[in-house]
Amino acid sequence: MDVILVNTGLAQVEADALAVIAFERTEGATAVSGESAAAVDAICGGWISETLASGEFSGKLLEQAVLARPTGLKAKKLIAVGGGKAEKFTATEMRKAAAAVLRAWKPKKCAKIALAFDVAFQNEEMAAAATEGALLGDYEPDTYKTDPKKNDSKVESFALVSSEGDAAVAGVTRGRILAEAQNFTRTLVNEPGNRLTPTILAERARTMAQEFGLGCDILSADRMKQLGMGSLLGVAMGSAEPPVTIVLTYTPAEGSATTHLGLIGKGVTFDTGGISIKPSDGMEKMKYDMAGGAAAIGAMRAIAQLKPKVPVTAVIPSVENMPGSRAMRPGDIVTTLNGKTVEVLNTDAEGRLILCDALEYAQRLGCTHMVDAATLTGAIVVALGYVNIGCFSNNDEFRDQVLSAAKTEGEKMWPMPLDEEYKDLLKSPIADLANIGGRWGGAISAAKFLEEFSGGKPWVHLDIAGTAWLEEGKPFLSKGPSGVCVRTFVRLAMGL
Ligand code: BES
Ligand code: MN
Ligand code: ZN
């Protein structure tokens, strides 16, 4: 799908559907709120005013009303899309509105969709957000459907109308880079365990790195053995699929930065739980246990093109967690890359066992600041539901940078505690650490475990178990893989 800039008057736009954003009206107001909405209202004999007056349409965010064959317009349909409260309309609302329009009209054979751009939206952020919305909305998780009819309702172009100039051009370019990166991540996350093993994930990352000019190093099991990644290798023991650690590097042209960002992502291509096996009900969903790793890979795809000032290294430990005959047993002791020993009390707490080695390795590669993303615990879903990512950190300043990047990108995150007291949960009588805490505060004890491997450097852990997969579709996003964290990672890198 093309996203294009069109600079004609609204009446001249040739499209199957032309959408204008109309805002909720304040108490007592009678005028249509929204520049383009008011303009088409005048052309079309007051249709929007009428729908607002009748209560058929209120301007609530993402609400839509449609007028077929609007008089005075070349477009075949006029769509009024609710923008919510005008003063609260930011890039986040724009992204959702553009996506909701696309998703509503794509199945109805609208090949050409246009969205009117008010003067108020004429900036890079808004153009980027609309572009992202359209492209993210266009994604469907139907990779393996063979019905050729699927292509019947393809959108050819999504036009931003009356938007021109350098800012809009730059916005569309950036929006496309980000959305394509996020959709790349979603495609990886959507792959089932048999179609995406650690080896295949590494191949996909390598191909992407070659295409976009990133450094790429794939650590084999042998190299990881030499290095001493005993914890990661322990998790991999139960599977016939060999583990890998994927390393992607971006180096800026001018090399004077003192900050070196590390993006670490959990890459468990399938999590059965291992010997501490999971119940079969819903186990199929554990194909998304590599969503953090896929987010780091997707972010690097955008970073390679947007070229931040700081070096960025992604480290993705990737394994399959299986209960094979060589599998790690409950009670086994593993030695991590940084030398600490761990008593594995539950083989289903495998994410932390691979991330701890990756965090240490990222530091050996020179990372000064680290952010990890992981579908780490069911407990974060208990705490925050499917709405917020859990955000843990050992450094308030760095955490606030991550939270602010996330807020700008409309990726919801909530700060979680890491008090010293929680460390007691991880006591083991035989080793330095146990790999599980007790029954309560499970997301926190998992994060506390990771903190032990941060080397005291600024580090943020993002638990995305509740947010990486949408159980229900939204008007602006299909159900399935969300690609969450990609935009936050990129925004963070660009801001350092
Ligand atoms: N991958 C799971 C966490 C998970 C749960 C992700 C639900 C997405 C949805 C992780 O490896 C796991 O199994 N965690 C255990 C930890 C427990 C054994 C301490 C959990 O959350 O139950
Ligand atoms: Mn597990
Ligand atoms: Zn897992």
Side-chain angles (χ1 to χ4, degrees), residues 239-285:
S239 173
E241 291 296 336
V244 293
T245 290
I246 302 163
V247 181
L248 300 172
T249 49
Y250 159 78
T251 314
E254 277 160 57
S256 60
T258 51
T259 302
H260 180 163
L261 179 63
L263 299 177
I264 292 93
K266 174 176 174 182
V268 176
T269 58
F270 196 80
D271 181 13
T272 65
I275 296 298
S276 315
I277 199 161
K278 287 181 183 294
S280 60
D281 225 30
M283 198 201 273
E284 72 283 353
K285 276 195 52 201

Side-chain angles (χ1 to χ4, degrees), residues 5 21 46 54 57 166 190 205-206 224 232 279 342 376 386 412 436-437 455 460 462 466 468 472 475 482:
L5 297 172
I21 293 169
S54 69
F57 173 78
D166 294 348
N190 198 39
R206 192 197 291 283
M224 293 191 279
L232 184 157
V342 178
L376 202 66
Y386 296 121
K412 287 182 182 252
I436 53 169
V460 171
L462 303 174
E472 303 276 349
S482 67

Side-chain angles (χ1 to χ4, degrees), residues 1 97-107 113 133-135 137-138 155 158:
M1 184 181 68
V101 167
L102 186 117
R103 290 189 68 72
W105 298 97
K106 175 183 168 178
I113 299 179
L135 292 166
D138 199 27
V155 180
F158 190 91

Side-chain angles (χ1 to χ4, degrees), residues 437-451:
R439 180 167 156 78
W440 310 114
I444 307 173
S445 52
K448 205 69 197 162
F449 182 95
L450 295 181
E451 186 187 11

Side-chain angles (χ1 to χ4, degrees), residues 266 271 278 286 288-289 346 348-352 375-379 381 436 465:
K266 174 176 174 182
D271 181 13
K278 287 181 183 294
M286 282 301 117
Y288 88 91
D289 214 14
N346 188 317
D348 197 12
E350 85 295 343
R352 63 201 79 178
T375 45
L376 202 66
T377 66
V381 191
I436 53 169

Side-chain angles (χ1 to χ4, degrees), residues 136-462:
L136 295 172
D138 199 27
Y139 173 91
E140 296 295 341
D142 58 358
T143 319
Y144 294 105
K145 285 197 190 284
T146 57
D147 187 350
K149 267 199 245 141
K150 176 188 150 187
N151 288 333
D152 274 11
S153 48
K154 255 196 174 163
V155 180
E156 281 163 31
S157 64
F158 190 91
L160 310 184
V161 181
S162 299
S163 178
E164 53 167 3
D166 294 348
V169 173
V172 171
T173 306
R174 175 159 66 89
R176 176 171 283 283
I177 290 171
L178 277 161
E180 285 177 354
Q182 189 170 341
N183 285 342
F184 178 78
T185 293
R186 293 164 88 189
T187 303
L188 291 174
V189 174
N190 198 39
E191 293 283 12
N194 69 330
R195 301 278 178 149
L196 194 92
T197 60
T199 308
I200 299 171
L201 181 63
E203 273 167 24
R204 298 258 192 122
R206 192 197 291 283
T207 308
M208 183 280 286
Q210 277 161 355
E211 186 180 346
F212 294 97
L214 293 166
C216 177
D217 188 17
I218 310 289
L219 306 192
S220 65
D222 277 346
R223 264 182 78 197
M224 293 191 279
K225 232 168 265 166
Q226 280 164 17
L227 283 162
M229 293 185 166
S231 180
L232 184 157
L233 290 166
V235 177
M237 293 268 286
S239 173
E241 291 296 336
V244 293
T245 290
I246 302 163
V247 181
L248 300 172
T249 49
Y250 159 78
T251 314
E254 277 160 57
S256 60
T258 51
T259 302
H260 180 163
L261 179 63
L263 299 177
I264 292 93
K266 174 176 174 182
V268 176
T269 58
F270 196 80
D271 181 13
T272 65
I275 296 298
S276 315
I277 199 161
K278 287 181 183 294
S280 60
D281 225 30
M283 198 201 273
E284 72 283 353
K285 276 195 52 201
M286 282 301 117
K287 69 175 188 176
Y288 88 91
D289 214 14
M290 33 60 74
I297 297 171
M300 292 305 282
R301 190 183 191 274
I303 284 169
Q305 298 167 77
L306 295 173
K307 305 193 188 306
K309 293 194 194 78
V310 297
V312 187
T313 299
V315 181
I316 299 101
S318 183
V319 301
E320 185 182 50
N321 189 22
M322 295 283 272
S325 62
R326 309 223 50 136
M328 200 165 59
R329 295 146 284 253
D332 280 3
I333 304 287
V334 294
T335 303
T336 64
L337 182 58
N338 86 353
K340 288 188 179 156
T341 53
V342 178
E343 182 184 14
V344 180
L345 291 175
N346 188 317
T347 64
D348 197 12
E350 85 295 343
R352 63 201 79 178
L353 293 175
I354 66 173
L355 288 166
C356 64
D357 282 347
L359 285 166
E360 169 65 21
Y361 193 64
Q363 290 166 67
R364 294 194 187 178
L365 295 177
C367 294
T368 60
H369 292 66
M370 290 172 290
V371 188
D372 77 70
T375 45
L376 202 66
T377 66
I380 200 65
V381 191
V382 175
L384 299 174
Y386 296 121
V387 177
N388 275 287
I389 295 168
C391 175
F392 303 80
S393 181
N394 60 357
N395 183 297
D396 289 352
E397 195 189 336
F398 190 45
R399 182 199 56 205
D400 289 347
Q401 275 178 293
V402 174
L403 287 174
S404 132
K407 193 166 171 72
T408 309
E409 289 297 343
E411 295 191 321
K412 287 182 182 252
M413 247 175 227
W414 199 255
M416 296 285 290
L418 270 183
D419 305 68
E420 264 321 295
E421 286 88 332
Y422 294 108
K423 213 196 133 186
D424 294 341
L425 296 169
L426 297 168
K427 273 189 183 144
S428 160
I430 180 172
D432 297 332
L433 289 165
N435 82 325
I436 53 169
R439 180 167 156 78
W440 310 114
I444 307 173
S445 52
K448 205 69 197 162
F449 182 95
L450 295 181
E451 186 187 11
E452 290 297 300
F453 299 87
S454 64
K457 299 188 175 64
W459 153 84
V460 171
H461 159 59
L462 303 174

